[in-house]
Amino acid sequence: MATALTAQLALIAARSTNPLDLKAQKKAHSQSLLFERSIAAAQDFDTIYQICIEGFQELCQIDARFSTFARSIFNEQSKQEDRATMTVQQNEELNEVLEKFLGLLGGRLFLKPALKAAEWLVRRFRVHEYNTVCLVFTFLPHHTTSIFPTLLSILPRNIPPALKFLHPYIESLAAPPRHAIVYAATDNQAFFSALNTYVLQVCHARHHSRGLLSFWASVVTEAVSGMLSRLKSGRREAQKQKQENILLRVLPVLNEGLSMKAISELRVACYMVLTILASKIPLAEHVLVAMMEAVVSDWSQGNAQTGLICLSLLAQQRQAVELPRKVFQALEAIGDIDEDLLFLHKGYAVEKLALGLILGIVGGLRNNTNSDRLETVRALIEARVMDEVLISTAIGSILATAKKTKPTPDNGSDIQNQLADLILRLSSSNSVGQIVQDVIKSSRIDVEQLETKLQAKLQPDNLLSTPVEDTEDIQFIEQEPKETTFDLVASCLPALAACEVSFLSSSESNLFRSLLHAFLLASPSPTNLKAFLNLPVLQRSLAVTEPLFISFLLRVWCGPYPTLARAAALDSVSELLEQEDVAFDLQAILPYLIYVLADTSFEVRHSAAKLARIIGFAYIKAEKAEKGYESWPILGRNSIYGSGKETQEITWITTTEAARFTKNVLLSNLEECLLDESHVSSLLVNAFTGSHHLDSQKYSPIEIKTSLRTSLFTFLSSHVMSTPLHAVKLRLLRTLNRVNKVGGVPRTQFLLPLLLSLKDAKEEHIAECCRKETVDSAQFMAEVVAITLPGEREGIHVLQSIISASDSSSKPHLGASVFNHIQKIWPPMKLSLQTSMAKTLLDVAFGDIQQNDGGTYQDQASETLRSLSLPKSILISILESLPEISVCIQDAAPQAKRQRTSHSHVSISAKSDANSLAHALKSTTFVLELMGSSSFETSPQLIKPLFRVLGDLQRTKDELGLEMGYLQSMVLDYLLAIVKEAKASPDLHIERSAIQADLLVDCMRTKSTPQTRNAVLLLLSNLASVAPDLVIHTVMPIFTFMSTSVLKQDDDFSVHVILQTIESVIPPLLTLLHSQKRGPMAGVSELLLNFVTAFDHMSVHSRPGLFASLIDKLGPEEFLFALLAMLTDKYPGDLKVRDFAANIAGRYDPATQLITIDKYLDLTLDALKLRPTISEHFLNLNSTHPIESTIVNLISLPIQILRTDRLKSETARILTKQDGDASKLRDMFSQVIEKVLHLTTEAQQRKSLNTICENLFTALLDLLSVSDFIPSLEYLLKRPEPSIQLEALKSLEYRISILRPGDRAAQDACLRFLPRLVPLIEGLGNTSLQTRAISCVDRIVEKYGKKSTAVVQSLAEVVSGNRCLGAADSRTRVMALLCLATIVHNVGESVVRIIPAALHLSIDCLESSFQDDTTNEQLHDAVYSFVGSLLIRIPWILLGDPLDRFLKISYGSANAGMSNSCCENRTEILRLVAKRVDSKECFAALERTWSSAVSEGPEAIKEYLEILRLGIERQPKSVVTNLSQTLIKIFLKIFDLRRMQFSPRTEDGYDDEEVDIVEQATNEVAIKMIYKLSDTSFRPLHMQMVVWAATSTSKKDKKGNLYRQFTWYSFLYKFFGTLKSIVTSYASSVIEDASSILENIIANDNDSVGLWRRVVLTLKVAFEHDQDGFWQSPSRFASISGPLIKQLERADSLSMIPEVIPAVTELAVAANSADHHKEMNSGILKYMRSDSAKVRCAAVQCEFSLTERLGEEWLALLPEMLPFISELQEDDDESVETETRKWIVRIESVLGESLDSMLQ
């Protein structure tokens, strides 16, 4: 509860605003878009309002809509508003106003006034806190500008979830890139929804801007696209659900956006999103319709173009093509819709939209509307904006509408005329005319009736005229005049037929063509038709006895003629039969009546039904009569197809059978036939098959006798074979071929003669006949071939004879039909027929061996075979029948003797052999490829013939050197598939004798392709599982070959093959090797050697997997060591190989790795023996190669393995569990340690191995954690070998250095171990061991010293003793000092008892580190480390004499020429002295050691001054004041350095530059001291310094006094220059002395001149900073002005300009009195009349400087100057005249007038 309460209180505190928290209020007030926080925090609301109202007023001038906000958020009262005190309702009302204003402001943010207005909302109304989302969305379109990071800087920490993507950009104050915004819109639903809501709200308020809508459109479009793209994966149901979720989020936004018709940019954006939705996901029809209606709702002319693009895409996604009513009306309202669609067609798919528009326009014509839009229809169709299918649909709709359109009283026939005009124009169009004609042909519309209705001719003449059958007819028709009439044609007809008995004769008839022409002209007119039928040539009177009349009409209605003509022919026969008393059998008409009942024209079928009724009723009438119809003669029995064999071969049925068929089959189903043209075919099939027919469920079975069925089928079949009309043949065959058997007799027996006749006929003749009847010849041949059933041997043989015929090239279509039919009937074909057909196809596919040509059908036969599913027996048969290639090549290479004796014979023989070889290769290739498409995997019987083929290919390859890789790969793949299936199915038994393992090895050994080698390996690996004893003896040669071939391949498949081989072959191989007497080592070494040899050639990415698989199968605990040793030995010194080997070892657990290392070390020890045993198998122990280098190379690998982080971490994890695995690991570790120690012992006899063995030992010790390692360490330290002890301590030191804090076990182990190091530290025998032990103590104390102070104290006594710190060996002292430093740092005052002695010894060490011209920098730095620890932890112990001695020796170190690092260390510690030692003691020590510092040189003084500076800086004023006397003593000693060094000067003394540097540094430090002293405190000190400077050390030592004064004035120069006006009054103490120095200068003494210059500069600085009128005092002025001006007379010997003239100028400025100026001017003018030109020149220069500085104030003395100026203008010295002219020019520039008049 406490925790929950605390969390709630924290949440309340975070959300609350405390009015008493002034700091928080100030921070909130400083949030600004325009000002820095420091500036913004200081502004009040009046100031802010004044700035922001100006921007708002400018906005109102730009856009008047802003003025509505002047009375609310920008009035004067708004300055007093505080949102924290408002109610919730008031805040909500204010939010509404603010969000409206922000929406309007968003489009103006680039203007400065807009930012000012936004500033008011931020500062006063805190919109960044209360309206964060709205504010961010206002600025978000401008996220790339510099203002956006400013906005981010003021956003609150807890921003709304919708804006969470801004978190990283708020922290870095970086503008978010566009892709981040798009990503947020895609993934963050809250952001997506908030953005849409904001944009729609802004648009509703009409406050939108182009920039906002453009930004929103781009982001939302990409976001929706991204959402939809992510739905491509996952389950279909989940995808659908996610799609619906997206639609639910997006569609309401689009609907609302499209409803705002006044905002074109918003609508365009919505169109873009709709386009994305429609193109990315399948939408339901009602959704697409709703989208389309939304697009066109309230669209305007401005966005209609974009809307059309969207509509076109939506229409493309719909299944239906009709447009919704609203969409069509909207499109219809566009004036130039056709032009718009034509324009869009160039870049967009508008097919369905255009078709929908056309269908809508055409559909409206049925209601007598839209007639004015037909021009749009024509334009769209002729422009072909749609594909041919859609154009055909449009034209079909036009034709259907034209047929159904009826004239009304309102418009008469205008619509019909317009439609007729449209159809005619389209049919005559070059672009779509042919399509129109094709639609007219294929449609079921009665074209003649439509032509009559529209009063227009829709089809060209050649469709309504006689089919052109030869060239003469063409000429005849072309020469016929256009006004040909029936009477004219009829007058040309003969009175009698010449030789025609029937027009169904197979012979050509010119009379038929003439009659046909006349009939076509007569058919539209009943009168002309009657006249035509009564023509004498037709012999109508004999129509019931002779077939001439009826055969003509029958041929017309079965021909490709107009519907009107065909219907007229049928009606004519019907009329004839109605007029005549039928007393003859009309069964000859029945096949043609069946044909016409299946006509596509309803009118034709109607006429046919009428004729069928008449015939049927005639039979019924006769049946009821007394005479009956048994005696009726059959019309055309002897001449229906002429007088030839065609008529004789007709099998007639009895009149009774004809009557039954007509009555029971045709008459009873005429209505259905009338409605559906396909019904008659199904009717006949149902009649022939009865209840067995598939359509028996749809149609009631027609029960007729089997004899009648057989008779009828025979009757129709005979007519099919005899009729010359191929259209009739084709249509009847389509029906007959649906019947397999009739009365138990296959249809093939009935129709086989037709197939035989087609086989013997010329294909050109068949094609020409079909062309005349507009029949597809390919379809006709296919139907004829289809009469063959799969079980009919005779028909199959006919098909075989067709495809194997020698003239196959002349019958391509027939052959294609046969091959297609073979594919169809193959599955049910009997096996014997399949075998025969397969062999035939194979023979056809390869043709004659000598000609190497199988005819035209060669490719088709090959393709057919490939498409067939061949049974196992056929495959076996084909494989066994293949010719042996090796036999074909026995004579291909004749002997040399035959080449010499019979060249012609050789040539012929070689050619023959080459053809045989090519044929054999070709057939073998094809058969093998053929197997690939068959299901052969379950046929182990194929193994033997496949091995035979493989052997044949291998022999051919060996003898001719041909590349057989492709064929061999196929054979091997098939064998592999069969073996794999046998592995998976134990029921499949492989004949063991069929497997030829030696052949597979032979395939590997010879030059072969990678594919072949891979296939062999895969096959062998699978055979090893099925029959291991057959292939195991071939394994070693295979692996030997793999090392030189397969292992070098770097493709993934080769790697897979090798892995498969390893997995399958290695286990049985190991079993075999273990069973041998000599054991597995020799065999495994040979196997491993193959892989190791190929290592270099393996690809980098495949190596790990191959070697890992190999070791996994061999067993890592048994043979991993062997692989690692062989790799290391084979590639000595190769780091990549070593890394690889270490990675391979790292795959296994720590126990396995230790076992491997143990065996690896056994192998290494064995190699060191005089007579190696096991190592001979795995290592190349060449006597010429030194064994030491081999051992060094070998040991480098286990070192690397032991140092891997993964092994260490896994070992530590296991050891922490304290279970069986941990015990096993410890045992293994102990065992490996023994081996390493053994190896180390051996290495002692070979010095070259010492280093590597030590590294191995260290790496092994580093493997264990510290807590586990220390017990082993105690054991190692007891061993007598110092090297082992040393390495153990090294390992301990390293392990402790990398320990992480918190390891309690390691801490306890280390602290317990510390006392064990004491004997090693006190030992005198081995310095290295002693040093390493001290280092270990240092590491342990550093880590855990604070945990056990008592133990550390005892160790500190040992380390600080004479055997360590007082040892003679410098390394021991260094380590002792470092260890003591660590001890002091960790335990501090706990070891204070040993510090004095240790400090004394350490200072001795420091002194010895740079004596006798030798330096020991390590010892030097170690001492300072120790002293540094003391200064940090026990600073009070370094006092008095130790401190003095330490400082003195440190000064000596500064002068010893130590390295930079040593100097830095020393300087750092000396700074610590200043910071940590008591200031009084420190300053006293400095005073005492000054002389030592001086004696050591400038560098020592430099460090001395640094200590002094830091000591002064770190102390407060009170301490400095108390110690001021000590400090002044120090400074006076330092100030006296110049005198001490230069009076007198010595060779080893300081030079001028060094003293100057010391004095400059001293002056700086002195100023820092003065800063910490008050005037009261410093003035006495100043007087002491004055007295010191004036006091002479000796009356004789005048130079010494001069040097003191020089130093003194150097300090004063710095003093006055730094403290300036504060210390001007201190100048009173030096006026007298300065005047004296100026007057007593010795011009020829450089030291005196130097002092003079220093005094003048000091005076100048004192004058320069006088702000209190100090120098205006007459006494002070008089004391200094005279001596200073008097220096002008020294111009002969001294340069005045750099020092004196500026000083005089500054004095005049400071004096600032007319009297003083007059006095100074008089003094200067006096020197203008000096005899020395230099003096006069100096005086003029001084006046120039005064004039320039003081201006008119100085020129008040001009009257006194004029006489002197006049004189100087004529001075004898040119330089004086020049300076005078400069002065005059300056005076004139100040006065603004010329001096010429004054000087006259």
Side-chain angles (χ1 to χ4, degrees), residues 72 136 156 269 283 342 423 460 561 592 807 841 876 885 980 1067 1228 1281 1423 1430 1629 1631 1712:
S72 55
V136 171
L283 297 173
L342 292 177
I423 296 172
Y561 310 120
Y592 300 95
D807 61 343
L841 290 172
I876 296 172
I885 304 173
K980 283 184 176 180
M1228 284 306 307
E1281 299 91 345
V1423 173
L1430 289 176
S1629 61
I1631 293 176
N1712 196 19

Side-chain angles (χ1 to χ4, degrees), residues 573-607:
V573 175
S574 298
E575 183 181 354
L576 171 68
L577 296 179
E578 287 178 343
Q579 293 175 359
E580 298 287 340
D581 187 10
V582 178
F584 50 87
D585 190 352
L586 298 175
Q587 63 176 278
I589 301 178
L590 292 180
Y592 300 95
L593 185 60
I594 293 171
Y595 168 85
V596 79
L597 282 173
D599 196 278
T600 57
S601 173
F602 176 81
E603 287 77 5
V604 174
R605 293 199 305 276
H606 186 275
S607 299

Side-chain angles (χ1 to χ4, degrees), residues 1132-1159:
D1134 193 329
L1135 297 180
K1136 293 182 179 178
V1137 175
R1138 194 181 301 166
D1139 292 341
F1140 173 79
N1143 290 334
I1144 289 293
R1147 295 180 65 252
Y1148 302 99
D1149 59 274
T1152 302
Q1153 294 189 52
L1154 287 179
I1155 292 172
T1156 299
I1157 293 174
D1158 182 61
K1159 292 186 176 183

